[in-house]
Amino acid sequence: MVVQEIRKLSGADRAPQDSGQQADYISFRDIWAFLRRHFFILAFCSAAGGALGALYISRTQPLYTSIARIVIDREQARIASQDVSTGTIIIETAEIASEVEIVKSEAIARSVIQQLNLTEDPEIQNSTSWRSTLRNAVSAGLSLFETMSSDDAASAPAPDAEDIMRRTMAGFLGRVSVRRVGQSYVLEIGYTSIDPDKAARAANAIAHTYMQSSLDAKAQIIARGAQWIEDRLVEIGQQAQEAALGVEEYRSRNDIAQVGTSGIDQQQLTEISSQLLSAQAAIAGEAARLATINRILAGELPDSYVSEALSNTEINRLRSDLGVARARLETLMTRYGATSEPTRAARAEIARLEAQINSELVRIQGVYRSNLDTARAREKLLREQLDVIKGSVTEKNLARVQLTELESRAATYRRMYESVLQQLISTLQKQSFPIGDARMVAAATPPLSKIWPKTTLIIPMSLMLGFAGGLGLAGLRDVLDRRISSGERLGRELGLPTLGYVPFTRFQSAAGKDALRFVLDAPYSGFSEALRGAKSSIDAVFPAGGPIVIGVTSVGSGEGKSTIAANLGQLYANEGFRVVLVDASFARPYLSLQAAKSGTSAGLRIHRSDGHGEEEPDVKGKSGKKVSVEDAPVLPVLTVEQIRKAAHPGHRFGHLPALKSQLEALRQDHDAVIVDLSAFASSADARAASAYVDGILLILGTRRKMTVEWLAGALATFGKSRVGILGVVFNKRRTGRWWRPRSNALPGRGGYHAM
């Protein structure tokens, strides 16, 4: 139960989980530690990379690039052709990319090579690039294979002119560079060579060849276009003529007369329809007037409702006379009476005038009747003519549909003819005055500085590549290196917590500092601080108030476990604990020999169980005051001989039961029992005695030479015994040829901590 509680409190069960959580990220501290750990590898690889870069710069022949600039000017050709209707010309990105590929085409390269006679240029023919070297090696291998496989041993035929030209073009195009300047229409044509003058000549030749080829291509295109347009014009002209003749023949065959845009029969139909409507309107008007005059004659309406009666001079005169006669009648009737002769004469006069007005209206009635008859006769005639024309138009409408189609086809051919004629005129104008789309902006000149090799680029890049290679080697070393380099790996892979790192310490007795009580002689040293931190971690594991039994062991011998056990006991004793050291290292009893030989000078003495060997009287329990460093007690040591004397004399390995009983007795009288166990990798006693203690403190002094697998195998020797490992303390020690620990030599005084 105590072992399980120790492991639970120490966090050993949580170590793999915590290490897994810590492995989720890498801190700057881990990176810095990695760089410091592999500093020499990184420095060597970086220096090697820089040296290789400097060697490359010194052995590489300098290259020069000369650049000529041309501009793709479509506006120039537009102005020359006087085509003001096209508007502003926008050159697309794909078109510029096409021009770039044209400049780098084999046709341009072939022309320039022939102009400059580059087939005999040793720079191109004897190119030493890795691609050309590989290509030549492959060609040589193939030639050798063909020669060996052939029946006769005749030599391979010499390359012909086309092969030489192809090789020259490959090398030439490898030195040509063409790029667009930003988003402009300017192209930079560059050529790279070891000779600056040759580079300038080649760049200018490429630019002029491209412009001339563009001009020639445009002239050829215009000539071919003009010839095609002319042939097309003749063909379309014949088709237009045939279509026009077909229209006229069809119109004559179907008796379709036409004036303007419509036929004569259609015009007649429109006119007669209009006249018929007018005749019908006239009939309606005459009938209305006749009805009105009839009503007037019948006495239903006054005569003033007829417009002719109002405008007739005779009727107006008669009406005036009638008015005068009526006025005289009234006067006579007033003067002579209604039956007098003058009155009857006046009435006769009025009757005569009214009879004349009626006769005039009858005459108007006859005129209206005559006009109505005339209008009806005219309507009848127009309707008969309309029926005749309708019949004729209906018969010709079917033919007119076909005629419309023929006329549309003839008009289409006519428009096509006019359009092609206009294109032919424009093409002939361009052919008479051809202008290219490209013009020179700046001619190439011999460059003043080299472009390769660039020292400012190669040296940093070689250093970076060397550093990257060093990082790769260092990472590979870390992956393949299974040594215990840090407590993080130990906790991540084995689940063992790290309690501290004890630095390398030189113990000198002449200065008043002993190895077995160094924590008290140098309380602020790195050694003391590391052990105090380990003690604090151990105290946090055990519950307060109860005695504790701590075993101190290591994987192998000479790792400083005895020195650390003694100093750990000194820390507990300095805090007022009742402490006893138990030397359970039966193979190498270092503490027993120190207690027997040094007396109390090393802070140790042999433990006595009869009461004479107990602690000094000034030492009190946990309730007493703290003992100062100057008055530090001498720790009692239960030696190996005392354990063996307590064993049963008849048992060969009776020291183990005796050790167990002694520990049980010491647990009753002491607050802390520190047990110095043997190295468990080579001692079965340590593995058996580990079950007698509450917790084991593991000391690793050779972590740089110990792998994780070796330590895991050593820990596996405990088997299924209930062992609670408190943690691991890394002890940095130094061993040299001038000092090697012997079986009985105890370098605890004036030397390095190694036990």
Side-chain angles (χ1 to χ4, degrees), residues 97 133 186 211 262 283 335 346 368 407 438 535 570 651:
T133 302
V186 177
M211 291 187 294
S262 60
I283 291 173
R335 180 178 300 177
Y368 284 170
E407 289 177 346
K535 176 185 173 299
Q570 293 288 356
H651 292 173

Side-chain angles (χ1 to χ4, degrees), residues 426-501:
S426 176
T427 303
L428 293 176
Q429 290 178 353
K430 292 180 181 179
Q431 187 177 9
S432 61
F433 188 58
I435 294 179
D437 295 335
R439 56 185 176 86
M440 182 75 75
V441 175
T445 57
L448 301 178
S449 60
K450 64 180 181 179
I451 64 164
W452 191 262
K454 293 183 179 180
T455 305
T456 57
L457 177 62
I458 293 177
I459 295 299
M461 287 297 296
S462 59
L463 291 175
M464 291 177 61
L465 291 176
F467 184 76
L471 287 177
L473 291 178
L476 183 62
R477 182 184 178 188
D478 268 4
V479 172
L480 299 179
D481 188 8
R482 301 293 296 169
R483 294 181 299 175
I484 302 174
S485 58
S486 65
E488 294 180 359
R489 170 174 283 187
L490 197 62
R492 182 173 61 252
E493 299 192 17
L494 297 182
L496 298 177
T498 301
L499 302 184
Y501 294 84

Side-chain angles (χ1 to χ4, degrees), residues 574-576 618-628:
N574 185 54
E575 295 183 359
D618 57 344
V619 178
K620 299 183 179 180
K622 294 183 180 180
S623 61
K625 67 178 181 178
K626 184 179 179 180
V627 180
S628 63

Side-chain angles (χ1 to χ4, degrees), residues 77 80-83 217-233 418-435:
S81 63
Q82 298 297 321
D83 187 8
K218 179 175 287 190
Q220 294 177 2
I221 291 173
I222 291 175
R224 289 197 300 268
Q227 183 63 38
W228 181 85
I229 291 174
E230 186 175 356
D231 297 341
R232 183 63 175 166
L233 182 64
E418 294 175 355
S419 177
V420 173
L421 180 61
Q422 187 65 31
Q423 291 180 4
L424 179 60
I425 295 173
S426 176
T427 303
L428 293 176
Q429 290 178 353
K430 292 180 181 179
Q431 187 177 9
S432 61
F433 188 58
I435 294 179

Side-chain angles (χ1 to χ4, degrees), residues 233-247 406-407 409-418:
L233 182 64
V234 173
E235 180 182 356
I236 293 176
Q238 293 177 355
Q239 293 175 352
Q241 184 178 5
E242 293 175 357
L245 291 175
V247 168
L406 295 176
E407 289 177 346
R409 182 180 300 176
T412 301
Y413 279 122
R414 186 62 185 176
R415 288 192 297 270
M416 290 174 59
Y417 180 82
E418 294 175 355

Side-chain angles (χ1 to χ4, degrees), residues 273-333:
S273 298
S274 178
Q275 291 178 9
L276 179 60
L277 292 176
S278 299
Q280 291 175 351
I283 291 173
E286 294 297 334
R289 283 193 292 269
L290 181 59
T292 301
I293 198 65
N294 290 334
R295 293 177 62 189
I296 292 174
L297 291 176
E300 298 177 1
L301 293 176
D303 56 352
S304 58
Y305 281 89
V306 182
S307 58
E308 283 75 0
L310 296 176
S311 60
N312 194 308
T313 306
E314 185 63 24
I315 292 176
N316 289 332
R317 183 183 64 77
L318 292 174
R319 284 178 179 174
S320 178
D321 294 341
L322 182 61
V324 174
R326 288 176 178 173
R328 188 171 56 212
L329 176 61
E330 291 178 359
T331 302
L332 292 174
M333 289 178 64

